[in-house]
Structure formats: structure tokens, C-alpha cells
Amino acid sequence: MFEILFLGTSASAPSANRGLSAAIVSHDEYRFLVDCGEGTQRQILRSGAGFKRLTRILLTHGHLDHILGLGGLLSTFLRWEAIDELEIFGGRSALDRVHDLLYGVVLRGKHPPMPLTMHEIKPGVLFEADDFTVTAFSVTHRGPDCLGYIFETKARRPFLADKADKLGVPFGPERRDLVTGKSVTLADGRTIQPDDILGPWQSGTKLVVVGDTGRTDNLIEHCQGADALVIESTYIEEEAEMARQFSHLTAKKAAELAKATGVKKLILTHLSRRYRERDVLAEAQAVFPNSAVARDFDSFQIKRNQE
Ligand SMILES: [Zn+2]
Ligand SMILES: [Zn+2]
């Protein structure tokens, strides 16, 4: 299971009710901050999420509404808050701009107050833990190397306890070995294979997070079958031409992508200040009923095959 907590859901400039792009994706003890628009640190405090273990930051691209909050965040780490380390992942051009902000404006010759690493990433797996991976993929927006992210738990085979009981596999290390794919020999000399007590493969939970994008045709393979797709919806169809011009999506376009890829749930974010939320939602739901529009501090639990 993944959880996504939205900290900022406004496009380009904040509104009275919406901050700039940022969200925390969590899985067990792992937490990833996806984008860090201006004001993100205050949203982190207001949400109650806190800074602890928020050591990994993934950037979708280098536009200011997605990165300016890093300056304030680092400034706070210089004096008021402590964190063990900070790792920032993104495309080359986003990292160049962030480097200027952090080293040119905030630090100006000082050392960062914690180990600070910038990881230039290309499409592919960028993080792997025992039971999940984070994968980056290319997204088309204004400027080079924009990225989207897939959070996915690994496929697994469920342990069939009743079968193990019938075969007389004792509780303890034998069962653990079988689950990890090793065959075991019981006290009476019989050998039990993992296949004897494991069910068929079950795919993992998949959460796809796309930042700003002007195209959806090149996202289809990445979104396929996701349990949730989080994507921008800066415009509505009335201003489809403007969306095209600035390389953004309308709610309808986002919903058509969700429909075409069989995702279970669509969550729209990055809303322009000029629309009412209900108009954005209605446009999306007309195409894809299981759509939601995220508000700041909304949190969604993403489970496998959720309805
Ligand atoms: Zn943006
Ligand atoms: Zn942008």
C-alpha cells in the first residue's frame, strides 16, 4: 500500500486555498517528497507530517512552482530543524536550477547542514527497497528532461498456510525458507518445494505520479493498469488551445488517459486559480467516473485493485 498526501495543488501561483505543487508519497517507513513548491515547509508543518525521514525529494521538472520551496526548506534546516541527510533526484536541468538556488542563494559558500546529494536521473529504476521500487519515465512539458514516477510494490506469491499445514511443514524457519524460494527437507526426509505452498503470482500496487505534461500518448505504457494515477489538470476544455500552447492538460484529456489505460482511480492536481473545482471534476467524471480533485492536505491510500 502507498499513501499520498497532497501539500500543494495549485498551478503556477498559489490561491487562498491551494499551495504550490508538493506531495508526500509514503510506504512503510519510506517517505518521498514529490516536488517542493514555494511554501511547502509550512504545509508540511500544517499537515502534521513533519520533517522526520523526509530525506528523499523527487522533482518532476525545474519550473519555479515546483522547486522554489527547496530554498526555504534548506534555510530552515540551517537553523531550526535537523534532518540526517537530503537526497534530491531529478533531471539535469531541474537539478542545475536547484543547485543555483541552494548553493548560489541560500548557502553562498556555507556548507549544507546535512549531507546533501543531487542525483541526476534518467528514465529507469531510481530506488529499490525489499518490497517496492520507484521508477522514473520521460514526460513532455516545456523544457528538457521532465519526469514522472511509478511507485510499485513487487509482485509476490501468497503463502498458502492450509497447504503447508496439510504437508506438515512445521512453523518456523522451514516456512520462512519456502517463502523466500528455498526448498526444505523435513525431519521425515520429504522435500517440500516453494511451489507446493505458494499461490500464483499477484502483481503489486502501482501508483503513478505525473507532474506537468502536455502530452498523454507517450504516458500510456507507464500508466497501464495503475491503481491510482495522479496527474495535472491545469485547464478545462474551454481553454484547450491555451493548454496546448503552454504544454498542459485539460481535465478531459487527463480523464481520457485514465480511461485508455484502465487505471482504477484518477486524482487530479495542479489546478489553475481561474476554475471552480466542481467544473474540473465534472469534466473529468463525464469521461472517467472514478476521478477526484485533490485539495491541499487530502490524503489517499492506494491499495491493490481498489475500487
Ligand atoms: Zn507547474
Ligand atoms: Zn511546469
Side-chain angles (χ1 to χ4, degrees), residues 123-192:
V125 175
L126 65 105
F127 183 86
E128 179 165 13
D130 281 352
D131 69 339
F132 79 105
T133 54
V134 186
T135 307
F137 57 92
S138 287
V139 170
T140 308
H141 181 51
R142 303 192 317 273
D145 40 66
C146 303
L147 297 165
Y149 297 100
I150 300 170
F151 298 84
E152 192 168 23
T153 58
K154 293 179 183 172
R156 55 183 284 274
R157 297 179 68 184
F159 178 73
L160 305 174
D162 53 339
K163 280 203 168 179
D165 291 347
K166 268 194 203 128
L167 289 166
V169 181
F171 290 90
E174 288 87 352
R175 291 192 179 205
R176 199 176 53 233
D177 284 351
L178 285 165
V179 168
T180 55
K182 293 179 204 143
S183 58
V184 298
T185 303
L186 303 184
D188 61 11
R190 282 179 301 137
T191 300
I192 308 290

Side-chain angles (χ1 to χ4, degrees), residues 60 157 170 279:
T60 59
R157 297 179 68 184
D279 295 335

Side-chain angles (χ1 to χ4, degrees), residues 2-218:
F2 294 103
E3 187 172 326
I4 182 162
L5 166 66
F6 288 88
L7 298 170
T9 56
S10 186
S12 188
S15 70
N17 297 317
R18 293 178 183 273
L20 290 172
S21 285
I24 295 175
V25 175
S26 325
H27 175 77
D28 297 336
E29 75 270 30
Y30 297 95
R31 307 206 303 165
F32 299 84
L33 180 64
V34 182
D35 285 341
C36 187
E38 178 197 337
T40 294
Q41 56 171 331
R42 183 153 186 266
Q43 301 291 80
I44 291 171
L45 294 171
R46 284 191 62 191
S47 70
F51 298 107
K52 212 167 164 231
R53 290 182 285 106
L54 202 53
T55 54
R56 297 184 183 93
I57 301 176
L58 312 181
L59 301 174
T60 59
H61 64 302
H63 286 162
L64 294 177
D65 57 324
H66 297 256
I67 64 159
L68 273 183
L70 288 169
L73 194 61
L74 182 60
S75 163
T76 296
F77 286 139
L78 281 168
R79 286 194 59 190
W80 298 104
E81 299 274 352
I83 195 158
D84 295 339
E85 58 174 327
L86 210 50
E87 291 182 277
I88 303 176
F89 300 80
R92 179 75 266 149
S93 60
L95 291 187
D96 283 348
R97 203 168 192 182
V98 166
H99 189 278
D100 287 352
L101 174 65
L102 300 186
Y103 287 91
V105 177
V106 180
L107 294 169
R108 302 188 78 203
K110 280 198 204 113
H111 288 292
M114 81 296 272
L116 170 63
T117 336
M118 306 230 197
H119 300 281
E120 180 186 349
I121 48 170
K122 305 254 189 254
V125 175
L126 65 105
F127 183 86
E128 179 165 13
D130 281 352
D131 69 339
F132 79 105
T133 54
V134 186
T135 307
F137 57 92
S138 287
V139 170
T140 308
H141 181 51
R142 303 192 317 273
D145 40 66
C146 303
L147 297 165
Y149 297 100
I150 300 170
F151 298 84
E152 192 168 23
T153 58
K154 293 179 183 172
R156 55 183 284 274
R157 297 179 68 184
F159 178 73
L160 305 174
D162 53 339
K163 280 203 168 179
D165 291 347
K166 268 194 203 128
L167 289 166
V169 181
F171 290 90
E174 288 87 352
R175 291 192 179 205
R176 199 176 53 233
D177 284 351
L178 285 165
V179 168
T180 55
K182 293 179 204 143
S183 58
V184 298
T185 303
L186 303 184
D188 61 11
R190 282 179 301 137
T191 300
I192 308 290
Q193 302 295 337
D195 278 345
D196 300 333
I197 53 87
L198 295 177
W201 283 99
Q202 291 178 347
S203 60
T205 307
K206 180 175 177 183
L207 163 65
V208 180
V209 181
V210 179
D212 299 5
T213 181
R215 274 173 64 187
T216 55
D217 58 306
N218 56 351

